[in-house]
Amino acid sequence: MCFGCSPANPIGLKLKFKMDGDICRTEFEAGEEHQGWNGYMHGGLIAALLDETMAWWLWLKDISIMTVEMNTRYSIGVPIKTRLVVESWCEEVKRDRLYLMAGRIILPGGKTAVKATAKFMKIDPAQI
Ligand SMILES: CCCCCCCCCCCCCCCC(=O)SCCNC(=O)CCNC(=O)[C@H](O)C(C)(C)COP(=O)(O)OP(=O)(O)OC[C@H]1O[C@@H](n2cnc3c(N)ncnc32)[C@H](O)[C@@H]1OP(=O)(O)O
């Protein structure tokens, strides 16, 4: 029951993903329950949004992975009750096992509020 994408998780983000060319995209609107500072989305949940969107770029290509490293740059506070677009893409694949991914959160009007990069390692799904 994935926190990011399962429709059955009562406290989850219930994200749905689509590929558009080589970009994986989802939309999300944070509520009051997702706040850190008053009126702004919690940074850990912002990281979860980006982690999930980068992971889904790979899942949608039937590549089973786990996150092994992530860096997040928060440039603009992400307001709650605002439609956000989250995008991800692949920048490089190393030794057919390590995927270097990137993602961003776009505010209405087009400014990028948060950027992330992460490494995902291909796993054998039977391992987990
Ligand atoms: C259509 C389909 C629908 C499906 C719908 C299903 C639901 C879809 C749910 C999605 C859900 C997603 C959710 C978000 C993704 C999480 O949140 S995943 C959760 C967070 N991540 C984790 O818990 C990962 C924990 N880590 C591990 O379990 C293990 O490290 C791993 C990933 C299994 C790898 O272990 P390992 O196979 O023992 O690998 P290891 O020997 O340590 O490393 C292999 C090589 O990589 C290198 N390496 C390791 N880490 C790094 C690093 N960070 N940087 C560079 N090199 C590294 C090592 O140095 C090593 O190099 P060599 O020695 O071979 O030269």
Side-chain angles (χ1 to χ4, degrees):
M1 205 192 275
C2 177
F3 174 74
C5 62
S6 171
N9 186 330
I11 63 155
L13 304 176
K14 299 184 176 64
L15 301 169
K16 291 180 184 161
F17 297 92
K18 271 192 185 158
M19 288 303 287
D20 176 7
D22 226 21
I23 299 282
C24 180
R25 190 171 286 123
T26 190
E27 291 188 0
F28 183 71
E29 186 171 321
E32 292 186 351
E33 68 276 25
H34 301 119
Q35 286 176 114
W37 284 102
N38 251 355
Y40 291 94
M41 195 174 172
H42 191 284
L45 290 177
I46 290 171
L49 267 183
L50 285 157
D51 183 24
E52 187 79 13
T53 308
M54 292 186 279
W56 265 86
W57 189 99
L58 295 154
W59 279 112
L60 287 172
K61 293 178 189 289
D62 274 337
I63 303 166
S64 299
I65 43 74
M66 284 184 107
T67 321
V68 290
E69 198 173 310
M70 182 164 165
N71 181 274
T72 313
R73 180 158 187 159
Y74 301 91
S75 305
I76 303 173
V78 174
I80 61 166
K81 299 179 183 171
T82 301
R83 205 78 200 148
L84 307 170
V85 175
V86 191
E87 293 183 343
S88 68
W89 58 92
C90 182
E91 300 210 312
E92 195 180 339
V93 184
K94 288 191 169 171
R95 292 190 294 170
D96 195 37
R97 179 144 195 232
L98 194 67
Y99 292 83
L100 309 191
M101 305 295 298
R104 61 178 180 154
I105 295 184
I106 306 162
L107 300 176
K111 281 193 174 163
T112 294
V114 187
K115 285 183 193 165
T117 54
K119 295 178 185 173
F120 289 81
M121 180 106 43
K122 198 193 267 183
I123 52 153
D124 173 0
Q127 265 185 311
I128 47 173

